[in-house]
Each structure stands twice: as C-alpha cells, then as structure tokens.
Amino acid sequence: MKTGIVMEGGAMRGLFTAGVIDVLLEKGLTNFDGAIGVSAGACFGCNIKSGQHGRTVRYNLRYCQDWRYASVRSLRETGDLYGSDFCYKQIPTVLDPFDTEAFVKNPMEFYVVATDLETGKPVYHKLYDGLNSDLKWIQASASMPLAARTIEIGKWKLVDGGVADSIPLKFMEKKGFDKNVVVLTQPRNFVKKPNRALPAIRIAYKAYPDFVQRVETRHVHYNEETEYVKEREAAGKCFVICPPEPLGIKQVCHDPMEIVRVYEIGRKVMFERLDEMREFMRK
C-alpha cells in the first residue's frame, strides 16, 4: 500500500497547509510515498519533502511587506503579482535557501500540476531536484490567470494548476497511491461559484478558447472534486484536513498578524486530528 498527501492551493490560504505540514514534521508523520501540490500547495508544500520546518511562515513574515514579493507594484512592473525573480530565484537560492540536497535524498515522489493554456487540461510533472527546472514548474502551477505571466516550458504554455485540477486526488490514486491525506484550504461545506473575473479572462485569453471554457466551468469541476473527496473519505480511502470555517485571508497579505493567524489555524486543526490521522495511516 502506498500513501500520499494532496495539497490544495488558494494563494495565502496555503498558510493553513504550512501549519499542517509543520506539525506533521514535528511529529515525524511525513513518511508519505508521494505528494502533489497545486499552486500554493506546491510552493509551500514542497517543504514537506525537503523537511524544512517553519520555512514557509518564516519567509512570508520576513517579506510580506516587500513589494518585490507580492504587490500591485510588482504586477505593474514585472507582470506578476508575486514577483517571479524574487519568489522563485532570490528567496529559494539566496535569502531563505531551499534544501535541494534533502529534497533529493527524500524518496517521496513529489508532483505538481499546471494548466495547459492551449487545451485547458492539467499537466502533471514530477519534481526531481528542487533546482531551476523544478522551480519553473512550481511557478507555473502558481501562475494565477490575470495576475501572472504565462510560463513556457518545452511545448507547453502553462498557468495555475488549480484551473484544471484543484484537488488531484484521482491523479494520485491512478499513480498507485491508494491511501491519501487531503489538505483542503476551504471548509467542508464550501461550494465554489463561477469566477467573477470571467469577463476579463474572456478578453485576456481570447486566443485560448479551450482554456476560457475550462475557467467558465471550473466551479462545476471543483464541486465535483470535493464530492469525490467526501466519497473516498466515507469509504476510508482518504483522510481530510481542512479549516473549520473560511480563512478570510486575501490573495496578497501584507499583515504579519494575518499570516500567523492562518498558519496557527492549520497547526491547531492538525494537532486536534493527530490521533485520527495516526489511526488512518495504521489501517
């Protein structure tokens, strides 16, 4: 039996996931055979494989008020709400280095998902060394429509993986991970509604009709995925960790107190569910 962990995105809601991961690291409960992260779930979730406790909340607190990290100014000057050079080069290689050696040594398979702009379909990629190519795939997974430039890798033009596959539990099951922990950043009763930015997306991406169609129906696919997660949970095939209520944090957050608040919710929920998760993993 192979175990996996699935980490949803959600911009700064991903700090909830960071709190969950740090508790798992503290308790030695990170020996999953595989993992997949979507958008913020990839950016923050990769630290579970490198074993870097506290790294996500540390650099978010340190740079949340730096315009190069995330700001309208960054969007205006670089084309990315979350600055490409600062977030995917300066931080992981210089300012708060990503432990690529530990990442490679850990046998856990780590996947990310991005959305193919040409087809609107998901593209899954296995990370290998946490270096330049991997960082590009993580960036692609987190490149939100309208808020980030398209990332070109090989034959693909890629944007936010959450558009095509927000909760890739089925992908993990197809890869042979038959017992999965699913970390959601929305509460259990959350129902996604149509994207309010659809008019702007239709204009900005008019050359990519399949992608636009996927955005138009994203809420339908997302709600189907959450129903599937509930079915698998009821069948004892997955264990769900999620916030008890909406996290209420903006996509960009410059307030350190808000960052700590959401991170601590993740820690609290995980501490409360530790015994249940241990039991689930033992079965």
Side-chain angles (χ1 to χ4, degrees), residues 57-272:
V57 71
R58 181 174 64 242
Y59 72 70
N60 271 281
L61 287 173
R62 185 175 297 165
Y63 301 114
C64 66
Q65 295 178 342
D66 190 318
W67 75 268
R68 298 171 298 171
Y69 182 57
S71 66
V72 173
R73 178 180 172 184
S74 175
L75 180 62
R76 184 174 63 248
E77 295 189 13
T78 72
D80 297 305
L81 186 63
Y82 284 83
S84 173
D85 180 75
F86 195 73
C87 293
Y88 301 102
K89 292 182 182 178
Q90 295 299 315
I91 289 178
T93 64
V94 179
L95 300 173
D96 199 325
F98 186 63
D99 192 340
T100 56
E101 182 178 353
F103 188 85
V104 171
K105 286 183 178 179
N106 189 333
M108 178 194 302
E109 297 178 25
F110 196 99
Y111 297 87
V112 299
V113 56
T115 300
D116 184 346
L117 199 56
E118 299 278 2
T119 65
K121 295 180 179 180
V123 179
Y124 305 96
H125 179 77
K126 182 180 177 180
L127 303 186
Y128 289 95
D129 57 14
L131 295 173
N132 295 335
S133 177
D134 283 357
L135 290 172
K136 202 74 173 176
W137 277 98
I138 292 173
Q139 181 183 359
S141 182
S143 293
M144 297 180 288
L146 301 179
R149 290 171 292 177
T150 300
I151 303 300
E152 295 191 21
I153 304 176
K155 65 180 181 179
W156 290 295
K157 296 179 180 179
L158 302 168
V159 293
D160 191 343
V163 174
D165 195 352
S166 297
I167 311 168
L169 175 58
K170 288 184 179 180
F171 168 80
M172 290 294 279
E173 291 178 338
K174 288 178 181 177
K175 295 294 289 186
F177 301 99
D178 39 18
K179 177 171 283 195
N180 293 283
V181 171
V182 179
V183 184
L184 304 178
T185 60
Q186 296 283 14
R188 285 182 179 274
N189 62 351
F190 177 75
V191 177
K192 198 170 191 65
K193 297 179 180 179
N195 194 324
R196 289 180 295 179
L198 266 175
I201 287 173
R202 290 187 180 111
I203 294 170
Y205 298 96
K206 62 182 179 181
Y208 304 100
D210 291 334
F211 172 75
V212 171
Q213 183 180 36
R214 186 70 188 193
V215 176
E216 290 172 342
T217 58
R218 182 186 177 187
H219 62 292
V220 176
H221 297 292
Y222 181 91
N223 295 331
E224 289 174 348
E225 287 185 327
T226 56
E227 285 302 312
Y228 182 74
V229 169
K230 291 175 184 177
E231 291 172 11
R232 300 304 284 165
E233 182 183 32
K237 297 298 183 180
C238 79
F239 183 84
V240 180
I241 303 165
C242 62
E245 56 188 16
L247 292 170
I249 190 169
K250 296 179 180 179
Q251 285 189 333
V252 175
C253 179
H254 303 298
D255 183 352
M257 296 296 290
E258 273 292 278
I259 289 170
V260 171
R261 179 184 68 82
V262 174
Y263 171 76
E264 289 295 339
I265 292 172
R267 289 184 59 85
K268 182 176 185 293
V269 170
M270 190 65 256
F271 269 122
E272 292 172 347

Side-chain angles (χ1 to χ4, degrees), residues 8-26:
E8 184 185 11
M12 296 303 280
R13 295 200 313 271
L15 289 160
F16 172 87
T17 304
V20 169
I21 289 171
D22 279 354
V23 172
L24 294 179
L25 285 167
E26 290 166 17

